[in-house]
Amino acid sequence: MPKIAAAYIRVSTEEQAEYSPASQLRQIQRYAQSHNMTVPKEFCYVDEGISGRQAQKRPAFMRMIARAKQKPAPFEAILVYSLSRFARNREDSIVYKTMLRKELHIDLISVTQDLGSDKSSILLEALLEAMDEYYSVDLAENVKRGMAERLSRGEPVSAPPYGYQMRQGRLEEQKQEAETVRWLFTHYAAGASYRELSQQLNAAGCKTKRGNPWQPRAVAYVLHNPVYVGSMRRKINGGWELIPGSHQPLVDKALWQRAQKGGQASTRRIYEKRENPFILQGLLRCGTCGSPMVRAARGRLQCGAYAHGRCTVSHSVAEQRVIHLMVALLSTALGDCLTIAPPVLPQAETWEQKQAHILKSRKDRLQEAFLAGYIPLQDFVYKSREISQAIWQLQKKQTDQSGIQGEQMVKLTLADCLHQEPRLMQSLIKEITEQICFLRKEGVVIAQLRDISQ
């Protein structure tokens, strides 16, 4: 009965001609037939246009290793065209070969390199691995050196940006796209925002270089790319170095500078980082397109898709307004299940105070258990209400004994507790709601509630 084997094929960008996947597979299939092996189609793993320097960056390779770890092992050997296809990093090569051969009992075979099985094969294999790694490092250095040389001459080293096309290794104007670039710079210099420009482009049916709708960040990339004023840029020492390009600029320096100044004066930050968590993150949706609502500037929420130019209706609303609406909804659905009273106690600790502290600790543990998912919502609501009521009775008895009038006691409502415990509020919202939408036109929040009576 033939042995089951897997085939691993890798081709990096510079090796397409010599090591095509079809060529490697033919050699592997030929070897398998002559050595009583079979390679099922589902055990053929191919990484195309990928370097062999790091295993984690090769998805097919990692899938093959994960499959090899299954019990029982699905195949008895892995066939490669040459050891350089398996890895060009000695550390990765040693780790994965050792795991395959000694732990999983799966052999690694090079179909074009007959290394034999005697002790001298160990030395030969190590020599081949060192040569492969040296070739890979040397190739990377040559590529970087070539790119630096091209940049020093003002020549492109990547795909042409929007507005240009590549001809004989040089950037040339693409007329239709170039007109769009000039239009962007002109209107941005006049005070238009990234979002407004992206919306107008999308409304006109204009697409990016990759055929995607325009987003504000894509507009920003164009407006701040010095290639359009005739310069190339490269990173150096954590910053950017500008190099005169060999191509024709699409905008003149005066327009470029006006656009930069106009942008600084007219563009506002879309997002705002805050230390306190956003309670409704991932829960509140836009009533028009269904995208998540996100934090915007000045304590407001906005549709995330609108901020990126994919939604046409603004849903700006004050965050605190939405929070108050959700607190009211929770209070209606759950009642005062978390009601507690702040203790008003004499200096000497009494029995009632000790018991109240015990119950308060039990209530805190109950809340942590609910937040961790150990108890269901129904049990949490029932037990919280029970403990809160017991605490209230103890503290009321204490105040009566101390001669304090009942109206002097302050009772915390569920709303008070929720404002003090954002994590608890978020968990409760997740438990009792299926979907939450903000309707901008009506100015209301609509929540679809789950049945929590069971």
Side-chain angles (χ1 to χ4, degrees):
M1 183 175 181
K3 294 168 61 175
I4 303 296
Y8 178 68
I9 297 168
R10 182 185 63 80
V11 186
S12 59
T13 305
E14 73 278 359
E15 299 168 331
Q16 292 289 346
E18 184 180 358
Y19 297 105
S20 69
S23 174
Q24 292 185 51
L25 183 59
R26 281 195 299 270
Q27 293 280 1
I28 290 173
Q29 293 285 16
R30 191 178 298 121
Y31 179 92
Q33 291 175 5
S34 62
H35 290 77
N36 194 30
M37 296 181 182
T38 181
V39 182
K41 187 176 181 180
E42 64 269 23
F43 292 159
C44 289
Y45 300 92
V46 182
D47 280 319
E48 292 193 61
I50 296 178
S51 168
R53 293 287 298 279
Q54 296 182 20
Q56 289 75 12
K57 294 185 178 181
R58 292 184 279 159
F61 181 89
M62 299 309 296
R63 289 198 305 271
M64 177 183 69
I65 295 298
R67 192 72 177 268
K69 292 180 180 179
Q70 294 179 357
K71 301 293 183 181
F75 40 79
E76 301 176 61
I78 295 175
L79 304 181
V80 294
Y81 178 81
S82 68
L83 294 178
S84 66
R85 303 302 92 198
F86 186 77
R88 276 187 167 163
N89 177 302
R90 282 178 296 168
E91 183 178 349
D92 280 348
S93 181
I94 292 170
V95 168
Y96 288 108
K97 283 180 182 178
T98 301
M99 180 184 67
L100 289 170
R101 290 171 173 169
K102 294 187 176 181
E103 298 179 18
L104 305 177
H105 306 291
I106 296 175
D107 199 11
L108 175 67
I109 301 173
S110 168
V111 302
T112 60
Q113 297 164 316
D114 187 7
L115 302 179
S117 56
D118 57 1
K119 60 183 180 182
S120 62
S121 64
I122 299 175
L123 181 61
L124 180 57
E125 186 170 329
L127 180 60
L128 290 172
E129 288 175 351
M131 292 175 60
D132 288 335
E133 184 169 11
Y134 172 82
Y135 169 80
S136 183
V137 173
D138 185 59
L139 179 63
E141 290 178 352
N142 289 335
V143 169
K144 289 181 180 178
R145 189 162 49 248
M147 291 176 66
E149 178 64 25
R150 287 183 60 85
L151 272 175
S152 68
R153 299 196 300 264
E155 298 175 0
V157 294
S158 60
Y162 189 85
Y164 288 100
Q165 57 187 341
M166 191 77 75
R167 282 189 180 175
Q168 298 180 350
R170 293 184 176 274
L171 295 179
E172 290 190 6
E173 178 180 325
Q174 209 281 348
K175 291 186 178 180
Q176 186 173 355
E177 293 180 358
E179 289 301 320
T180 302
V181 169
R182 296 186 184 99
W183 178 86
L184 283 172
F185 273 93
T186 301
H187 285 75
Y188 187 62
S193 68
Y194 299 147
R195 182 168 59 241
E196 291 169 346
L197 294 172
S198 63
Q199 289 176 340
Q200 292 183 49
L201 290 175
N202 291 330
C206 183
K207 302 292 184 181
T208 65
K209 198 77 168 178
R210 296 184 178 182
N212 299 321
W214 283 88
Q215 295 188 17
R217 60 184 177 184
V219 172
Y221 181 80
V222 169
L223 293 170
H224 299 290
N225 192 341
V227 71
Y228 299 109
V229 77
S231 299
M232 310 294 288
R233 62 182 176 182
R234 65 176 175 184
K235 278 191 174 180
I236 181 169
N237 298 328
W240 291 101
E241 179 187 14
L242 294 182
I243 302 169
S246 60
H247 60 283
Q248 291 296 319
L250 298 186
V251 298
D252 57 49
K253 290 185 179 180
L255 177 57
W256 165 270
Q257 292 174 354
R258 289 203 310 274
Q260 307 313 301
K261 293 179 181 178
Q264 293 172 2
S266 64
T267 304
R268 296 183 306 176
R269 293 177 59 190
I270 296 176
Y271 298 107
E272 183 178 273
K273 291 185 178 179
R274 299 182 187 176
E275 294 182 359
N276 57 314
F278 178 26
I279 295 174
L280 299 174
Q281 185 171 1
L283 303 176
L284 183 64
R285 300 276 172 169
C286 168
T288 297
C289 68
S291 298
M293 297 282 286
V294 298
R295 268 181 169 160
R298 300 181 178 88
R300 301 187 70 81
L301 304 177
Q302 179 60 277
C303 169
Y306 180 81
H308 288 86
R310 297 193 301 272
C311 181
T312 58
V313 181
S314 172
H315 278 67
S316 178
V317 61
E319 180 178 348
Q320 284 305 312
R321 179 187 174 192
V322 177
I323 296 298
H324 287 310
L325 289 172
M326 293 309 303
V327 167
L329 182 146
L330 289 173
S331 299
T332 302
L334 301 177
D336 278 345
C337 69
L338 303 180
T339 300
I340 60 174
V344 182
L345 302 168
Q347 293 182 352
E349 188 175 44
T350 64
W351 178 86
E352 287 81 4
Q353 183 179 8
K354 291 179 180 178
Q355 293 301 311
H357 286 167
I358 293 172
L359 289 172
K360 182 63 168 61
S361 297
R362 186 183 302 173
K363 185 171 174 294
D364 290 341
R365 292 196 299 272
L366 180 69
Q367 179 174 313
E368 290 300 321
F370 169 69
L371 291 174
Y374 296 136
I375 61 173
L377 175 65
Q378 295 86 347
D379 290 349
F380 172 69
V381 171
Y382 176 77
K383 292 178 181 178
S384 292
R385 185 179 291 117
E386 188 178 63
I387 294 174
S388 296
Q389 186 63 28
I391 294 174
W392 172 260
Q393 292 298 332
L394 284 169
Q395 293 178 353
K396 186 175 186 301
K397 182 179 179 181
Q398 182 66 48
T399 56
D400 291 342
Q401 293 173 353
S402 303
I404 299 175
Q405 299 298 320
E407 57 267 18
Q408 291 181 260
M409 295 182 63
V410 180
K411 195 171 184 178
L412 292 182
T413 65
L414 173 64
D416 298 322
C417 296
L418 293 178
H419 282 301
Q420 295 175 13
E421 296 283 351
R423 288 176 56 231
L424 177 61
M425 180 176 177
Q426 189 177 55
S427 295
L428 288 173
I429 292 173
K430 289 180 179 179
E431 285 287 341
I432 73 170
T433 60
E434 293 280 359
Q435 188 178 25
I436 312 170
C437 287
F438 173 62
L439 305 181
R440 178 69 179 88
K441 185 177 181 180
E442 293 81 1
V444 297
V445 172
I446 303 296
Q448 181 180 349
L449 299 182
R450 290 191 175 99
D451 182 7
I452 61 172
S453 61
Q454 301 299 321

